[in-house]
Amino acid sequence: MKKYVILLSILLSSCYTYERVPITMEPIDRTIMVEGTKSDLFVKANNWMVEIFTSPKSVIQFSDKEAGVVTGRYLFKDFGSTVVMGEVVDFGQIYAIIKLNVKDGASKITIDAENFIELHSKTNESYRYTKEKAVQEIQVLMDNYEQYLKTTDISF
């Protein structure tokens, strides 16, 4: 019986092992040619930030209409939390700095996501958040910004 307990312990501990792999993120930017004055595009950029910053952890940190710049700290990925034995276990977050620059007829968006740790497990790789997934989500965010600039009307 003791042999079975030891064997079961070894099997269970091997199921829950994982490797921590550091991931380095580089800033990603896109320039968007769009009709509009610097002033109109600044208002659209500011409004877009307000609309996507739905978490109270996301904030606009700097906004200068004269320079045509809006910069914010965005809660990019929240891994959530759970209660284990009466204590809250937080699985962490990834933040990104989003910088929007506008001028007459164009805007540039730069998203600089924080580096993070990717967990590799032998038993379940499907849950893993990868660099590829992060880059894909950044591209979706940029697509959303571009679409917003091109379709949103700020006039009354």
Side-chain angles (χ1 to χ4, degrees):
M1 179 69 173
K2 187 175 181 180
K3 290 180 186 179
Y4 292 117
V5 171
I6 292 173
L7 182 59
L8 183 61
S9 298
I10 291 171
L11 286 173
L12 286 175
S13 67
S14 68
C15 291
Y16 294 109
T17 61
Y18 58 88
E19 179 185 1
R20 300 170 61 92
V21 179
I23 300 298
T24 303
M25 296 294 293
E26 298 82 23
I28 299 173
D29 62 29
R30 181 188 299 178
T31 301
I32 303 161
M33 304 309 289
V34 61
E35 291 183 28
T37 65
K38 179 180 176 180
S39 180
D40 289 345
L41 293 176
F42 176 83
V43 171
K44 286 182 177 183
N46 217 27
N47 285 342
W48 180 78
M49 282 265 209
V50 169
E51 288 184 23
I52 66 155
F53 283 17
T54 56
S55 168
K57 295 179 180 181
S58 298
V59 295
I60 294 176
Q61 294 178 312
F62 178 76
S63 182
D64 185 335
K65 189 171 187 174
E66 179 98 10
V69 177
V70 183
T71 305
R73 185 169 188 255
Y74 177 64
L75 178 57
F76 180 68
K77 182 72 176 171
D78 188 352
F79 294 104
S81 61
T82 190
V83 177
V84 177
M85 298 176 67
E87 296 205 23
V88 176
V89 177
D90 187 355
F91 296 116
Q93 303 87 24
I94 300 172
Y95 286 90
I97 299 297
I98 299 178
K99 184 175 182 181
L100 307 175
N101 295 85
V102 297
K103 64 179 185 177
D104 289 342
S107 181
K108 180 178 179 182
I109 179 172
T110 303
I111 300 178
D112 188 4
E114 292 179 338
N115 299 335
F116 61 94
I117 301 293
E118 190 176 301
L119 299 178
H120 293 242
S121 169
K122 293 179 181 177
T123 58
N124 186 3
E125 289 289 311
S126 64
Y127 72 90
R128 185 166 42 136
Y129 191 72
T130 64
K131 183 175 185 173
E132 292 76 21
K133 286 180 184 177
V135 169
Q136 183 180 20
E137 288 181 23
I138 288 171
Q139 294 298 336
V140 167
L141 203 53
M142 289 180 162
D143 291 344
N144 180 282
Y145 178 63
E146 183 172 356
Q147 189 68 26
Y148 190 89
L149 287 179
K150 292 182 176 180
T151 60
T152 304
D153 184 14
I154 61 168
S155 64
F156 289 97

